[in-house]
Amino acid sequence: MTSSGSVLDSLGSSESIVQVALLSGQFALLATAILLGYAFLLRASLTLRNRRHAAFISVWRPILADVVSGHDPDQTTLPALKRRDLAFFLHEWNITHDSIRGSAETRLNALARTLGVDQQVWKMLDQHQVRHKLVATATLGHLGEVRAWERLRNLIESSNTLLSLLATSALVQIDADRALPLVIPHMANREDWPPARVATILRRAGPDAVSEPLAKAILEASPEKANRLLGYLDTCHLAVADELTHRLLKYSDDDYIITALLRTLDNPRELPIVRELLAHERWHIRMLSAIALGRIGEPEDTATLIDLLSDQAWWVRYRAAQTLANLPSMSIERLREIQAAQSDRYARDILDQVIAEETL
Amino acid sequence: MNLEQFVHGAQWLFLGYFVFLNLGYMFLNLIAMFSLRRYMEARGVDSLPSVYSNFELPTSILVPAYNEEATITSSIRAMLQLKYPEFEVVVINDGSSDGTLNRLIDEFELIPFPEAYRIRLKTQPVRTVYRSRVYPNLRVIDKANGGKADALNAGINAARFPLYCGVDADSVLQPDSLQRIVQPFLDDPTTVACGGTVRIANGCRVSGGFMEKISLPRNPLALLQVVEYLRAFLFGRLGWSPINALLIISGAFGLFKKETVIAAGGYRTDTVGEDMELVVRIHRKLRKEKRPYRITFVPDPICWTEVPEDLKTLKNQRQRWQHGLAESLTMNFRMMCHPRGGWVSWFAFPFMFLFEFLGPLLEVSGYLFFALAYLQGWISMEAYLAFMLVAVGLGVLLSTSALLLEELSFHIYPRARHMAVLFAVAIFENFGYRQLNALFRLLGLLRWMFRRKARWGEMQRTARWSTPAPEKSRSEPTPP
């Protein structure tokens, strides 16, 4: 009682309010002074860093350009790479590597090895700072460092999305045939891996390496995972993609898989299935079927497309009208005739728009 | 309760308010610092050249315009030159009474187009849809006046792509704005909305609708707002984003999943703060439906806007913002401490309500109370000064920490002199400007209480920073 009473008394006194206020204010001023000092230190270090970077660029960019344009690095004339310039060098080197192909890559790797950068990168991989690990992973991939295989393989499991993706990319760069059967299941499982980045890795590996393991993984995966992998079908050889599409369209009833397949489907042998799908209950499947019909359809499909002009979904009507307008035998006059024959206002309106687009 | 007890209680209330407000912001600041560090790490490695892939979602840029004849053509021309694989620009002329529509028709060779326009969101009648002969990806919707929200709804009806980006007609964009703001949608498919950092264009040099040279404004009022914007965006928004509790996406530049917005009912036309209200409503709807989603934010400076340079315009703007905030929060008050609301309901919403909605009232009352109490002899000079030390000291601390975040990340203002000026501003804004702002916001709160409706925010624009596009760009359109 006594103690709580004294707390209340103390809360009630003017002195305690003033004390709390003074303490808070002093804390704020002290913290501000620290932040200010830190900010000025940061700015000073940035200025210094910019100067060093400018000096680095003036020496090393011509050397990198020289190596890329066909000259082997000459150990006798190369300047020593200062320890403090390693980060600048790796940044420039990786950017240059990413924009070249062929023998220039080999020469660039030789330059890095001549300078002992490969040894430094191994140390960076062991460091705690994620940024160092990221740069080291990208560099080891570009270097095609086979000895790093197990280390990189472990990094695929990392919860850091970027690090796991860079490790995947590095493994594919080191040995695509060995890496893809290993990493494709991860591509199906890792929901945090952005499809655009995965597709870039697969494109870089090329269809020879991608086709077989990807097709196998799609056929063995659950519908949800297969759907995710189907998005990368265009990185396979056309024949493999065609065969897979045929098998899946025949046996799968999963809407998402059908949707993914309709987007890339380009073989006339799928025409009967596409015609069936034009009556699907989901509008986006009808829409994609109408678009697919434009790629693989026959003259007799014109009547079906005309029927779709009265579909209840705007996008189905619009895509059907566009497909109709793009048929080889179609002309503006013929479109106008079709329009005049329509009793449905929506069909006439959508043709109005597509005719205007065609004549613009 | 006697006078002494009342004075004690009031002192604790106001002191507690200032301390808790700033502790809350410091907490956000810490989250923002952590998240910014991760972002900058990834950004450094991501700066390697990236290849366009067909995964980038096509995007419709919606530009509501009302009496924008001075800047509309250069803005649209810049938007047409954005670096992005597939996008369209839809300008919605909301019944402008000046020559906005004619400028657009002349500049972009617009012709009326018989579009089968779909009415998915109800709007004021659309008079004509135009299409450009020169740019196939440019359309202009001419409609009867209905306000910005109504114009955006009409734009959503006309948009063809799954994502849409609402952009103010006077916004200055970076060429890679769309690429940057679309990234969260690629990284996480559950993303439904994303905002970007808006910076101040006053004092900068803009050419052909793009930022050419970044500098600080000479106008003192605009200069004060530079620090304010840094604070608002670098930790006001970035702090909320990692915990998926972002309640505001600026109308000047924000990207949304179209179907999500349509399912939520589009923009409400009976509010001034349609951008915030929509975001709060989307949170509410998706939380209620227990659907996984993300509303996120990219800290890159991707959009620049002109801020008021005179007190009258500033007052109107702040009143409108506060009015909008009040409407957005009260219209979605069921979010407050909702059992299924997560961080949004239990932290962001109460924080906004206590410190942003009621904030101006408590802040102005606090200053008045302490001044009055001192003058009446209820408190000592020491107590009065101690209170001012807290109010000003914590304000300076917050502004300084925002500048530190800027220093840790983007270094938009390149010269050391710029940062020195901004640090001086961070201190001096607490002696008058902040208090004035609180007063303007209190007036906005009162306006909301008396339900005075505001429509398009009319801003006195100088656009002194903008120079027209070089003539050659006329003949070099970037194809979509």
Side-chain angles (χ1 to χ4, degrees):
Chain A
M1 266 316 270
T2 318
S3 113
S4 69
S6 68
V7 169
L8 285 174
D9 289 347
S10 133
L11 279 175
S13 73
S14 286
E15 290 73 24
S16 55
I17 299 175
V18 174
Q19 271 177 0
V20 170
L22 277 174
L23 272 175
S24 308
Q26 282 165 358
F27 161 77
L29 290 183
L30 183 69
T32 303
I34 293 170
L35 291 188
L36 267 175
Y38 184 41
F40 278 110
L41 275 179
L42 281 174
R43 177 53 69 135
S45 121
L46 178 73
T47 310
L48 193 65
R49 190 181 151 84
N50 284 346
R51 273 192 210 138
R52 280 186 192 155
H53 187 243
F56 168 85
I57 290 293
S58 68
V59 174
W60 285 96
R61 207 168 262 177
I63 296 172
L64 286 167
D66 207 32
V67 170
V68 168
S69 63
H71 297 98
D72 286 321
D74 180 0
Q75 201 168 357
T76 54
T77 56
L78 273 182
L81 180 64
K82 290 175 194 158
R83 194 182 163 80
R84 69 180 189 206
D85 288 344
L86 180 67
F88 296 143
F89 179 84
L90 288 176
H91 186 76
E92 283 293 313
W93 186 86
N94 276 308
I95 283 183
T96 312
H97 223 298
D98 229 41
S99 59
I100 56 166
R101 293 287 178 276
S103 59
E105 288 185 288
T106 316
R107 285 193 299 279
L108 218 48
N109 289 353
L111 173 69
R113 291 202 166 94
T114 307
L115 293 167
V117 167
D118 51 336
Q119 300 305 321
Q120 301 286 337
V121 163
W122 277 99
K123 286 180 200 157
M124 286 172 71
L125 202 59
D126 290 327
Q127 287 173 359
H128 284 297
Q129 269 190 302
V130 179
R131 190 179 178 81
H132 288 163
K133 278 189 198 292
L134 291 171
V135 173
T137 306
T139 310
L140 287 168
H142 282 139
L143 281 169
E145 195 65 74
V146 183
R147 286 176 301 153
W149 187 270
E150 282 308 316
R151 297 289 304 277
L152 294 172
R153 188 182 164 154
N154 291 337
L155 287 180
I156 298 180
E157 314 280 349
S158 167
S159 59
N160 183 312
T161 306
L162 195 56
L163 187 58
S164 59
L165 269 172
L166 276 176
T168 303
S169 174
L171 286 174
V172 172
Q173 280 174 292
I174 292 168
D175 185 347
D177 290 332
R178 190 176 160 203
L180 285 166
L182 185 77
V183 298
I184 284 175
H186 285 274
M187 291 172 178
N189 291 328
R190 292 285 297 244
E191 288 182 20
D192 59 323
W193 284 6
R197 293 181 196 218
V198 174
T200 306
I201 294 172
L202 292 176
R203 285 207 185 94
R204 202 165 175 164
D208 286 345
V210 171
S211 298
E212 199 192 313
L214 184 63
K216 188 167 175 280
I218 290 172
L219 288 172
E220 287 171 0
S222 65
E224 189 199 343
K225 287 174 182 169
N227 176 41
R228 200 172 297 144
L229 291 175
L230 278 170
Y232 311 124
L233 206 55
D234 64 341
T235 61
C236 290
H237 280 302
L238 203 58
V240 176
D242 267 358
E243 186 51 39
L244 200 66
T245 303
H246 185 65
R247 284 177 68 175
L248 287 170
L249 269 181
K250 210 166 174 181
Y251 299 113
S252 177
D253 56 358
D254 183 88
D255 284 355
Y256 291 101
I257 288 185
I258 294 170
T259 304
L261 294 170
L262 282 172
R263 284 184 204 281
T264 51
L265 176 150
D266 203 17
N267 192 327
R269 75 171 159 167
E270 316 303 347
L271 200 49
I273 298 177
V274 172
R275 283 175 183 151
E276 271 178 43
L277 291 172
L278 286 168
H280 199 279
E281 59 181 348
R282 293 185 71 161
W283 70 264
H284 70 270
I285 291 187
R286 297 200 300 278
M287 176 192 76
L288 289 169
S289 305
I291 297 170
L293 212 55
R295 295 194 296 268
I296 60 172
E298 293 172 352
E300 68 207 62
D301 292 312
T302 310
T304 321
L305 285 170
I306 292 173
D307 287 346
L308 284 180
L309 294 174
S310 302
D311 193 282
Q312 56 179 347
W314 186 92
W315 273 109
V316 181
R317 299 200 295 273
Y318 181 58
R319 292 301 186 203
Q322 279 186 322
T323 304
L324 208 54
N326 292 327
L327 289 177
S329 56
M330 197 53 66
S331 63
I332 296 296
E333 290 69 34
R334 175 77 187 112
L335 277 177
R336 287 197 204 286
E337 282 170 24
I338 294 170
Q339 186 188 26
Q342 299 307 304
S343 56
D344 181 59
R345 183 173 68 84
Y346 291 102
R348 288 198 304 271
D349 283 354
I350 206 73
L351 277 173
D352 234 354
Q353 173 170 339
V354 170
I355 290 169
E357 283 176 1
E358 291 292 313
T359 51
L360 194 69
Chain B
M1 184 191 282
N2 61 27
L3 181 65
E4 193 181 347
Q5 283 172 325
F6 168 75
V7 172
H8 277 306
Q11 283 183 88
W12 277 115
L13 171 75
F14 292 122
L15 186 65
Y17 164 75
F18 275 96
V19 171
F20 277 107
L21 166 74
N22 289 290
L23 278 178
Y25 275 121
M26 290 312 287
F27 175 62
L28 283 181
N29 196 3
L30 282 178
I31 300 178
M33 204 173 274
F34 179 73
S35 132
L36 195 59
R37 197 188 149 155
R38 281 197 77 156
Y39 184 82
M40 294 309 288
E41 262 180 10
R43 197 173 182 264
V45 181
D46 274 4
S47 65
L48 304 175
S50 60
V51 185
Y52 280 166
S53 72
N54 54 10
F55 285 90
E56 265 140 340
L57 298 161
T59 300
S60 301
I61 298 177
L62 307 185
V63 192
Y66 177 72
N67 290 354
E68 302 275 1
E69 69 171 342
T71 54
I72 189 78
T73 53
S74 65
S75 299
I76 301 301
R77 200 168 281 287
M79 286 173 203
L80 287 165
Q81 293 178 51
L82 289 174
K83 287 182 195 163
Y84 199 72
E86 191 176 9
F87 71 98
E88 63 170 356
V89 177
V90 182
V91 184
I92 308 102
N93 178 45
D94 191 48
S96 296
S97 54
D98 68 352
T100 301
L101 183 62
N102 289 334
R103 291 293 310 272
L104 287 166
I105 290 174
D106 293 345
E107 187 77 12
F108 300 106
E109 298 183 32
L110 301 179
I111 52 165
F113 185 76
E115 181 153 316
Y117 178 81
R118 291 178 304 162
I119 303 174
R120 301 183 71 189
L121 297 168
K122 209 173 159 192
T123 69
Q124 291 296 315
V126 168
R127 295 173 188 142
T128 315
V129 177
Y130 294 89
R131 240 179 106 154
S132 167
R133 281 179 187 277
V134 194
Y135 298 93
N137 60 333
L138 172 63
R139 283 180 294 155
V140 174
I141 314 290
D142 181 36
K143 65 179 277 291
N145 182 264
K148 188 179 172 186
D150 195 62
L152 280 165
N153 284 339
I156 293 170
N157 284 337
R160 296 199 172 154
F161 296 136
L163 298 180
Y164 81 83
C165 183
V167 181
D168 280 352
D170 60 328
S171 290
V172 177
L173 304 180
Q174 299 280 110
D176 62 351
S177 298
L178 269 186
Q179 271 179 294
R180 293 239 176 246
I181 202 167
V182 160
Q183 203 59 47
F185 287 82
L186 301 178
D187 291 347
D188 182 351
T190 64
T191 304
V192 295
C194 179
T197 301
V198 179
R199 298 287 183 110
I200 289 176
N202 308 48
C204 302
R205 195 166 65 227
V206 176
S207 178
F210 285 119
M211 186 56 63
E212 202 172 80
K213 188 184 169 211
I214 295 167
S215 193
L216 289 174
R218 282 168 187 258
N219 179 286
L221 208 53
L223 191 60
L224 287 161
Q225 290 170 79
V226 172
V227 175
E228 196 186 1
Y229 267 58
L230 280 176
R231 221 173 35 215
F233 283 94
L234 278 184
F235 65 79
R237 309 271 161 95
L238 193 56
W240 294 116
S241 174
I243 53 174
N244 201 22
L246 185 67
L247 293 184
I248 305 175
I249 286 180
S250 168
F253 196 73
L255 190 65
F256 292 84
K257 204 170 256 183
K258 189 174 74 179
E259 289 305 321
T260 305
V261 172
I262 290 173
Y267 291 90
R268 280 182 73 143
T269 54
D270 56 350
T271 166
V272 187
E274 69 287 329
D275 39 10
M276 180 180 178
E277 197 284 325
L278 176 70
V279 177
V280 179
R281 186 151 34 92
I282 290 175
H283 271 296
R284 195 175 131 196
K285 183 172 186 297
L286 297 181
R287 294 244 168 213
K288 195 176 161 193
E289 292 169 3
K290 294 185 182 173
R291 284 173 53 193
Y293 73 98
R294 276 206 71 76
I295 294 178
T296 188
F297 178 77
V298 286
D300 296 79
I302 47 181
C303 175
W304 301 76
T305 190
E306 187 182 351
V307 296
E309 292 193 347
D310 63 277
L311 276 177
K312 190 182 163 201
T313 316
L314 181 75
K315 179 182 155 203
N316 286 339
Q317 186 194 54
R318 298 308 155 99
Q319 283 186 329
R320 206 172 58 246
W321 286 0
Q322 191 65 22
H323 191 161
L325 179 112
E327 284 178 337
S328 306
L329 293 180
T330 49
M331 281 172 175
N332 296 281
F333 198 72
R334 283 184 200 167
M335 279 290 282
M336 177 74 110
C337 301
H338 191 280
R340 286 208 298 264
W343 280 97
V344 180
S345 286
W346 291 94
F347 191 57
F349 202 95
F351 185 95
M352 283 284 174
F353 192 81
L354 264 178
F355 297 126
E356 297 289 342
F357 174 78
L358 294 177
L361 182 65
L362 287 165
E363 203 170 329
V364 173
S365 311
Y367 286 119
L368 288 178
F369 166 79
F370 275 93
L372 185 72
Y374 169 63
L375 289 173
Q376 292 293 323
W378 299 337
I379 59 169
S380 64
M381 175 69 153
E382 193 192 12
Y384 178 69
L385 289 178
F387 166 75
M388 290 307 285
L389 183 68
V390 173
V392 171
L394 290 174
V396 173
L397 177 61
L398 280 183
S399 300
T400 312
S401 59
L403 289 175
L404 182 68
L405 284 181
E406 165 68 7
E407 205 50 32
L408 283 167
S409 53
F410 299 108
H411 314 289
I412 287 300
Y413 299 101
R415 296 185 179 172
R417 191 180 61 85
H418 288 151
M419 284 315 281
V421 170
L422 288 179
F423 277 117
V425 171
I427 295 166
F428 287 114
E429 67 151 0
N430 289 282
F431 297 94
Y433 176 74
R434 202 176 122 183
Q435 291 76 6
L436 192 66
N437 232 323
L439 185 66
F440 290 160
R441 288 169 59 206
L442 179 62
L443 293 174
L445 200 61
L446 294 173
R447 190 163 78 172
W448 165 77
M449 282 171 68
F450 295 106
R451 297 282 190 267
R452 280 186 56 195
K453 190 169 180 195
R455 297 191 95 180
W456 279 89
E458 288 189 19
M459 173 151 152
Q460 197 65 45
R461 299 195 188 284
T462 62
R464 277 196 292 267
W465 34 269
S466 182
T467 56
E471 199 57 31
K472 65 173 185 177
S473 68
R474 287 177 61 95
S475 55
E476 292 172 0
T478 309

